[in-house]
Amino acid sequence: MRSFWQNAVRIFGPIGLTYISITVGAWLLFMILIPQLIMIDFSMRPLLPLRKIGGPEDIWTLRNYMVLFTNELHRAIFLKTIWSSIIVTSVALAICYPISFYLAKVTRGARLGWLMIGLIIPYWINELLRLFAWQLILADAGILNKLLMLLGFIAEPLNFRAGNSAVIVGMAYAYILFMVFPLYNAMESLDRNQLDAARDLGSSWLRIHWRIVVPHAKPGIAVGCIMTFMLAAGSIAAPQLLGSPSSFWFTEVIYTNFETANWNQGAAYATVLALLCLVFIFVMLRVFRVSLKELAQ
Amino acid sequence: MSHDVDIDHVSMRYPGSQRFAVTDVHVRIKPGEFFSFLGPSGCGKTTLLRLVAGFIEPTQGEIRIDGKDMRGIGPNKRPTAMIFQNLALFPLMTVAENIAFGLEVRGVSAAKRRKRAEALLELVDLPGMAAKKVSDLSGGQRQRVAIARALAVEPAVLLLDEPLSALDLKLRQHMRSELRKIQRRTGVTFIYITHDQGEALNMSDRVGVMSEKGQLEQVAAPDVLYNEPATIFVADFVGENNAFRVSVREQVGDWAVLETPFGMLKGRNPQGLTSGRRATAFVRPEAISVVENSAAADNFVPCTVENLSFEGAFITVVLKAAGDQSFVMRQNNDGSAPRLKAGAKVQIGFRADNTLLLTNGEQSGA
């Protein structure tokens, strides 16, 4: 610890170090720690009329958290959010793995640059606008239905927006970059000769991926899955804009609670969502046998 | 176990490239042979190896292994195994897993794989290393693991892409003899590519020299290559040579009388160059000595000593003759050669059969 500070002084100088300590400390304190603590405090208190706040009934309790177990609708939405986020993550992984491999190991030079720009350009547009675009594509009289009818695949327009499929499609699209870049970074550092060597030793492409590429890209896959899952589970715009009334997302339940002035309940659910994401991180680290240190790289 | 590789008028041009990386290479590598392709970097020798391995397909020509055309057969289906320049061991696998990877692919049971890996580790003198991580091995040990991994699939032909270039000098020399030993023990056909002529001459049964143009200049045993280079490129590239421009005064059978700025010389004329032809004559530094008078040697050139460099076992002397022609002479440090000083006037001599006449033009009678 001592050498850590000595090192820091040497690198930044005393003034620089003071500045960095104060700014980082203030950021940690005011932007992360205090808001979280306030939220947890809110989540542990019952919803009371204003005059009773601070009174004998205003005590810490886990009642708000228990609602998740007693309210069947909320519990169902919570589980559905987890499940759907897992599906979003899987779909994004399935789409992004080949894209990342192609970018990292197959193409190079100018074409790689163009493909990268092609991936990034859609993200210059605001997320809401992109979701509205999906709304138009997936609408009953939308482009996709018209195309499918024109090609004769279907006679009647399909209702893409019933259930969760539109939400999942929209999210998988929205979070592609968050999956592609960790995967690309991880795969990029793989020596091409290892692919050649495996092929030369008689391996099929499937086995090369299973034995060489995936083990090498594990940290990237873990990071991509964690980011996508957290973004999906915490998303509110996509389910609101693309979801049907029946496909409520857990974030919408939280939002409704805050809207209806039940901040305590909303804070409890928000804490649960944060905990869920934390659990997911550790599950992913376990599944991929990746340490936190590797993840940081 | 051993198989022949027939490289039949193979040319290769990469898509989008104007020039051929490999131009009309034609050679038949015999079963069980240690064959090297020697050439400067960028001469297309790696391309040639990748063509044999099946990573790329030739633009023209055919590659046959045991008489079977390899076109359309991928690297995973060819009876070849390659050792890469950077070895390309799998860092996330143990030594045994690396070696047994080719067997795993072929569905060999775990117990058999383990046994085979241990036997191969024995073969490359690394017993008891099966459970180690690749990162725990030294450079030479990794080298051996790469060889064992390639041999595990019992290839007909082993392709080696400058595998020794990353090692330090001492280890490199040691691995040369090790490679040769392993080749003899297994009887597998080795195709080795290198830019290091010492390596090529030292290990190979035959060497094919490639020029920058991607052409195969000459295929011969190491001693023939050194003593009887067939082209100017080979004479220049293999070993050290003194080259000087001459014109043929007279053709006398396999010999020729040459006109030079420093007098008439006599040399061998394997290409049968006729009188009046311009050509290049070559003489090796070790074939030159200081002589007392013109009767002591076939060829006789008066020179001035420019500088000397002492290299222990021998002394390299740079001399200057008429017409600003430099000669490099190598004297053995055994006390038999006269001690020279810079600026001294001496006469050097060399034998006519050590003087080789070559030209890049059309060859007749060669």
Side-chain angles (χ1 to χ4, degrees):
Chain A
M1 211 53 194
R2 225 186 112 174
S3 72
F4 170 82
W5 287 112
Q6 282 170 346
N7 228 349
V9 170
R10 212 181 52 231
I11 294 168
F12 300 111
I15 297 171
L17 185 62
T18 313
Y19 175 74
I20 287 172
S21 305
I22 288 172
T23 46
V24 172
W27 175 67
L28 279 174
L29 191 68
F30 293 109
M31 309 293 272
I32 296 180
L33 215 54
I34 291 179
Q36 292 290 333
L37 288 175
I38 290 175
M39 195 178 78
I40 290 170
D41 179 54
F42 259 100
S43 74
M44 306 266 263
R45 291 179 193 280
L47 178 64
L48 293 170
L50 208 55
R51 61 188 161 78
K52 287 197 178 172
I53 287 178
E57 285 170 64
D58 195 2
I59 46 154
W60 275 16
T61 163
L62 287 176
R63 207 178 306 147
N64 290 326
Y65 290 89
M66 299 312 288
V67 176
L68 190 58
F69 297 95
T70 53
N71 186 326
E72 267 179 46
L73 182 64
H74 286 183
R75 192 177 59 208
I77 291 172
F78 180 64
L79 293 176
K80 193 213 71 184
T81 303
I82 298 176
W83 178 236
S84 300
S85 299
I86 290 173
I87 292 176
V88 169
T89 308
S90 313
V91 169
L93 181 60
I95 295 171
C96 295
Y97 183 92
I99 295 175
S100 310
F101 184 76
Y102 184 82
L103 291 175
K105 283 286 147 276
V106 182
T107 190
R108 40 181 133 184
R111 186 179 292 180
L112 174 63
W114 285 115
L115 286 171
M116 281 285 189
I117 290 172
L119 269 176
I120 294 166
I121 279 179
Y123 290 83
W124 292 351
I125 300 161
N126 183 283
E127 188 192 350
L128 292 179
L129 291 178
R130 273 183 280 137
L131 289 170
F132 276 121
W134 274 106
Q135 231 180 26
L136 295 176
I137 292 170
L138 298 172
D140 289 355
I143 299 166
L144 190 57
N145 268 322
K146 279 191 177 155
L147 188 71
L148 288 174
M149 280 159 74
L150 197 74
L151 294 172
F153 288 120
I154 51 169
E156 294 285 303
L158 296 171
N159 187 358
F160 294 111
R161 296 189 51 210
N164 284 315
S165 46
V167 181
I168 289 170
V169 167
M171 282 192 189
Y173 171 76
Y175 306 136
I176 272 182
L177 279 195
F178 296 93
M179 187 63 98
V180 162
F181 280 118
L183 286 183
Y184 170 80
N185 268 337
M187 288 177 181
E188 217 264 315
S189 62
L190 178 64
D191 172 19
R192 252 196 203 88
N193 281 345
Q194 280 188 31
L195 304 177
D196 281 349
R199 186 124 185 90
D200 190 53
L201 291 168
S203 185
S204 64
W205 278 114
L206 205 65
R207 190 185 290 268
I208 289 176
H209 280 279
W210 185 240
R211 290 287 273 140
I212 312 290
V213 184
V214 170
H216 179 86
K218 255 180 3 186
I221 295 173
V223 170
C225 287
I226 287 168
M227 295 228 271
T228 309
F229 179 87
M230 296 206 313
L231 286 166
S235 169
I236 184 142
Q240 275 189 342
L241 290 175
L242 293 174
S244 64
S246 64
S247 68
F248 234 51
W249 216 251
F250 195 59
T251 46
E252 293 175 282
V253 178
I254 297 170
Y255 186 76
T256 313
N257 271 311
F258 278 99
E259 233 177 8
T260 55
N262 192 348
W263 288 23
N264 308 74
Q265 187 62 56
Y269 279 4
T271 308
V272 168
L273 190 63
L275 284 174
L276 169 72
C277 291
L278 213 60
V279 167
F280 186 80
I281 290 176
F282 285 106
V283 168
M284 289 313 280
L285 294 183
R286 255 299 160 77
V287 167
F288 287 100
R289 296 207 187 88
V290 179
S291 68
L292 272 173
K293 198 178 128 211
E294 279 178 280
L295 212 61
Q297 291 165 350
Chain B
M1 176 91 200
S2 45
H3 305 252
D4 72 312
V5 180
D6 206 347
I7 301 172
D8 188 357
H9 294 288
V10 165
S11 295
M12 175 69 200
R13 191 177 60 199
Y14 286 101
S17 166
Q18 293 296 311
R19 75 180 263 280
F20 278 89
V22 168
T23 313
D24 198 33
V25 168
H26 186 71
V27 60
R28 189 178 161 273
I29 294 156
K30 296 175 208 154
E33 189 173 23
F34 196 128
F35 190 97
S36 293
F37 284 104
L38 170 67
S41 50
C43 73
K45 53 192 192 304
T46 298
T47 300
L48 196 58
L49 207 68
R50 293 180 73 84
L51 282 166
V52 177
F55 292 115
I56 42 179
E57 293 279 2
T59 316
Q60 283 157 30
E62 226 172 68
I63 291 167
R64 287 185 295 272
I65 297 178
D66 266 346
K68 190 168 179 250
D69 186 8
M70 286 289 127
R71 185 167 285 276
I73 299 175
N76 52 339
K77 304 280 183 215
R78 292 194 185 190
T80 58
M82 184 148 161
I83 296 177
F84 292 80
Q85 189 162 12
N86 68 353
L87 305 182
L89 294 175
F90 307 129
L92 300 174
M93 300 184 197
T94 64
V95 166
E97 282 177 316
N98 260 284
I99 294 173
F101 183 77
L103 304 174
E104 178 194 320
V105 164
R106 285 161 177 77
V108 176
S109 74
K112 274 191 186 162
R113 288 196 320 247
R114 176 141 200 98
K115 242 173 125 184
R116 183 94 180 99
E118 270 160 16
L120 281 160
L121 281 170
E122 205 74 53
L123 177 83
V124 297
D125 286 325
L126 282 180
M129 293 285 201
K132 290 230 173 181
K133 273 205 233 159
V134 171
S135 53
D136 292 336
L137 302 183
S138 71
Q141 289 172 329
R142 280 180 210 194
Q143 195 81 53
R144 289 157 199 259
V145 172
I147 294 166
R149 183 179 72 174
L151 289 174
V153 298
E154 296 184 0
V157 183
L158 196 65
L159 308 168
L160 301 100
D161 183 2
E162 310 211 23
L164 304 186
S165 56
L167 303 181
D168 61 59
L169 183 69
K170 221 173 158 187
L171 199 53
R172 201 155 62 219
Q173 280 167 347
H174 176 65
M175 282 309 292
R176 278 186 195 172
S177 60
E178 284 293 304
L179 273 179
R180 190 70 228 208
K181 239 191 265 172
I182 290 166
Q183 197 259 340
R184 288 215 184 96
R185 255 185 258 167
T186 57
V188 174
T189 308
F190 274 39
I191 302 181
Y192 191 96
I193 66 169
T194 180
H195 66 271
D196 181 333
Q197 44 179 295
E199 247 169 61
L201 298 179
N202 185 274
M203 291 191 286
S204 321
D205 295 316
R206 282 193 304 160
V207 179
V209 180
M210 291 181 77
S211 71
E212 285 101 338
K213 285 176 243 155
Q215 283 166 329
L216 193 55
E217 294 273 327
Q218 185 177 6
V219 177
D223 57 329
V224 176
L225 209 60
Y226 190 84
N227 295 327
E228 311 283 341
T231 67
I232 289 182
F233 180 84
V234 177
D236 255 336
F237 187 72
V238 179
E240 252 187 280
N241 239 329
N242 292 296
F244 45 96
R245 301 287 299 159
V246 300
S247 66
V248 178
R249 163 63 75 88
E250 195 189 345
Q251 185 194 3
V252 189
D254 288 342
W255 302 85
V257 179
L258 315 170
E259 210 173 293
T260 74
F262 31 87
M264 292 293 179
L265 302 178
K266 201 179 163 206
R268 281 192 294 139
N269 185 11
Q271 295 176 338
L273 302 175
T274 51
S275 95
R277 287 291 301 273
R278 311 266 310 151
T280 309
F282 292 93
V283 57
R284 299 268 181 207
E286 67 270 21
I288 299 177
S289 59
V290 175
V291 291
E292 294 298 323
N293 54 61
S294 52
D298 302 331
N299 294 322
F300 182 79
V301 180
C303 290
T304 312
V305 177
E306 282 240 306
N307 66 64
L308 302 106
S309 59
F310 180 74
E311 301 188 36
F314 51 82
I315 299 154
T316 302
V317 185
V318 181
L319 306 123
K320 193 122 274 174
D324 210 27
Q325 173 68 45
S326 284
F327 280 95
V328 175
M329 173 173 70
R330 191 144 297 146
Q331 292 181 304
N332 278 328
N333 186 21
D334 58 1
S336 63
R339 294 208 164 235
L340 301 176
K341 280 206 175 73
K345 303 248 181 248
V346 294
Q347 274 119 41
I348 58 167
F350 40 92
R351 283 163 41 183
D353 57 359
N354 282 333
T355 311
L356 183 66
L357 191 62
L358 292 170
T359 178
N360 274 339
E362 73 284 6
Q363 300 182 8
S364 56

